[in-house]
Structures are given as structure tokens and as C-alpha cells.
Amino acid sequence: MTFGREETVWIPESDLEGMSVDTLAVRAGQIRTGQLEHSDAIFPTSSFVYGSAAQAAARFGGDEPGNIYSRFTNPTVQAFEARIAAMEGGERAVATASGMAAILSTCMSLLQSGDHVICSRGVFGTTNVLFQKYMARFGVETSFVGLTELDEWRAAVRPETRMLFIETPSNPLCEVADMAGLAGLARDNEALFVVDNCFCTPVLQRPLEQGADIVIHSATKYLDGQGRCVGGVVVGPEKLMNEVYGFLRSAGPTMSPFNAWVFQKGLETLPIRMRAHCDNALELASWLELQPAVERVFYAGLESHPQHELAKKQQKGFGGVLSFRLKGAREEAWQFIDATRMISITANLGDVKTTITHPATTTHGRLSPEDKDRAGITENLIRISVGIEAVEDLKTDLARGFQALRNASTDNV
Ligand SMILES: *Cc1c(COP(=O)(O)O)cnc(C)c1O
């Protein structure tokens, strides 16, 4: 019997040199065991055994590479990390238990007390809480500025600014940040530029190529794409990722092998799913813009979007999330949502199933009225994460919402 990696080989990365994201999604980061399985193997084990006491000592002492314990490394997790790193064009990826664990691990390993962070105002609600409530307790102060207002970013910089943090496009109004501009600002001030690439995925945008130092994902969203697991990942240069890995190894928010396997398989269909999400979302956004009951549609693929040209330059597609304001208030928004029958009423996004939500009372419900105002989260705003169902059927379901509004207005006469 042999122990360690003797019978297990990695499909060589050099075979894939220069290949496209579509190919890397299917082929990068695969381990093949002595069984010669065609699909990716899964290693659901907490620990690993050694051939001898001497081998155990060598592993622990770092003289021999290999697995020790799944809080440190696990082959399935490493396979997922290798695949997403290749897709993002980063040197190394570190998988985490959730998207929030990815953000926390990045902050804990690369910031220290006294440091200052600048973050875009429209970030994921929990990211906001993490910075404002928890990082603040450890002496890391965060300023929030408008995602698209480069002047606000410049004005917010201090000598102790160590990190700029953004999501682009933003949730739910699909604002698009000028990544090259922010990367330059970060570089000039020796700060790290961190991009949460959850909405675009490496299929539509590779922030590391546009000047970002670190890319973060909630793998829970498009990377899985089928709503099965919670997970996250951080991607960037070896030197920074070693720090993130060190924190993870000590603090423990690691990804489970089972979840890593689900994400590994999820990545294989990511390119074709993203194209289907983009096609459906653009079609629906254009259709919504024509509806008399709609006040305004927010989707970077529309020519009416203020950063349409920037999005065209920066992204390969406009993504699967859109939002729109109805003529009316909360009552109309809720009536509309409740009248849909097929689309899921849930705050999750990035799923093959289309979802619909009322941001003001769900995802952004914890924001103060002033913050909601500033972020444009009005009571008549509805967000749709467009899935991959037939677009005609999505229109049929949404038409039920418009019909409900018409019925309600004639009832009132
Ligand atoms: C969901 C989400 C997160 C948090 O990820 P979890 O996996 O839920 O912890 C972070 N950023 C963005 C943009 C998200 O949509």
C-alpha cells in the first residue's frame, strides 16, 4: 500500500497554457487517483494517515509536502481552488466556508488595528455590517463612498488607508465601477484593491487583469448556480494568499470537501450558464423598459444605463441581475411580486431558477432610511435574478404581476 500522492496525479496545468476560461472551467485543477475516474474524485476525510512515524514527523515538520488535516488542506478543496484560480488568472486561490468567511479572512490576514478601509456604499448588506460593526471593534475604520464617484474615493484616502473594497456591478442597482481608475488610486496610495466578483464571475470579468490585487467570491451564487451549498473563495498573488491561508488554518472557516466538489462541478457549466443568464436578463430588461407600469429599469446592458459604455469595455456580458422601479410604492411592489407564480420569492441570486425580491424590506431592510435613500433602495424597487428558464415563460409570469396592478387600479375606481 502506498501513502500520500504517489498514486494520485494532477492533470498538468501546462497542458492548458493559454486556453480560454470556458476550457479552464471544465479542465483546470483536476486530480486523478489510481482508479482513473473521469469525473472529479471527492475526498470527504477530516485527516490523513502516514506510512510511518518518520513520515508523520516529516509532514508535520514541513519537510515532506502532503495532507495532514482538512482544516489545512484537502485534495477536493485544492482541486476547486486550482480551477477557480486558473479561471480568474490568479496565482493562488483559498476556499472558505462562505462568501463572508472569504471577506473576513482577507481583512483579518491583511489588515491590522489602525488601518483604514474605503468601501463602496452599495455593498452586500452583511459586508457592510462586517466592516461597520466588527472590524471597527478591532481598530479598523471604514469610510463608505459612492461606487462610481472617483472624486469621493480620492477625498476619502488617508495616510493609513490600506484597502479599497468594491462590488461591480452593484446590488441591486447595477452600478458599474471604473476598475482601472480605482486600481490606480490604490496603487498610488499603497493600498490593496479588492473586488467582490460575485455578480460577473471570471466568465464575464477578470478583475486581476484590470488592476485588482484580490478577487473575492461568494461561491454560493453563480459558481454553484444551483442553490445547493454555501461557500466562498479568495484569489490573488501567492504572497497575499499565503497570509489568507495562514489565517484560515488558524481560525478555521475552511470549505468542506463535499461543498468543494459541488462547486468544482458547478464551475464546469458556469460559462454556458452565464451566457444564458445574460441573454435572458438583457431580453427581460428591454421588455420591462416598454411596460407602462415601469418607472425605470436598472441593467448595465441597456443604453439608458449611465455606465453602459464602461460596462461594455470592462465586462464580456452584463450579468443576470436587474432591478426596476414600478410606478407606485411598497403596496404595488408587493402586489406585483405576489402575483408571480413560477418565479421564486427569495433573496438568493445567481441561481438557474429566477428569483424576485423587494430589496427595501429584505436584503437592504437593515439600512437606515437615509442610507436606503442614498443607495437608491426605494419602496417601489424590485430586484430579479434572472435564471435560465425560457425567457418567454419568464415574461408570462411577470405579466401576471402587471395584470395584478391593472386589476387593483380598476378596483380602486
Ligand atoms: C451573497 C454575497 C456575499 C456573501 O456570501 P455568503 O456566501 O452568503 O456568505 C458577499 N458578496 C456578495 C456580492 C454576495 O451577493
Side-chain angles (χ1 to χ4, degrees), residues 191-212:
L192 294 170
F193 180 35
V194 181
V195 177
D196 182 332
N197 198 25
C198 183
F199 272 49
C200 273
T201 82
V203 174
L204 302 183
Q205 136 181 312
R206 305 215 293 172
L208 297 175
E209 286 173 355
Q210 304 195 42

Side-chain angles (χ1 to χ4, degrees), residues 312-328:
K312 266 208 305 213
K313 203 173 75 180
Q314 216 168 254
Q315 304 170 204
K316 285 203 197 117
F318 303 107
V321 178
L322 62 84
S323 62
F324 60 101
R325 290 198 183 119
L326 288 169
K327 290 173 183 157

Side-chain angles (χ1 to χ4, degrees), residues 124-172:
F124 185 67
T126 314
T127 304
N128 205 305
V129 174
L130 179 68
F131 281 122
Q132 292 215 49
K133 181 168 177 190
Y134 294 100
M135 294 314 293
R137 280 192 198 163
F138 298 93
V140 174
E141 206 186 312
T142 305
S143 305
F144 291 88
V145 300
L147 180 69
T148 59
E149 310 300 321
L150 211 49
D151 289 344
E152 279 188 46
W153 287 86
R154 277 197 205 99
V157 171
R158 305 178 191 168
E160 58 276 17
T161 301
R162 285 281 76 84
M163 183 185 284
L164 311 188
F165 188 101
I166 64 161
E167 286 167 23
T168 181
S170 69
N171 175 16

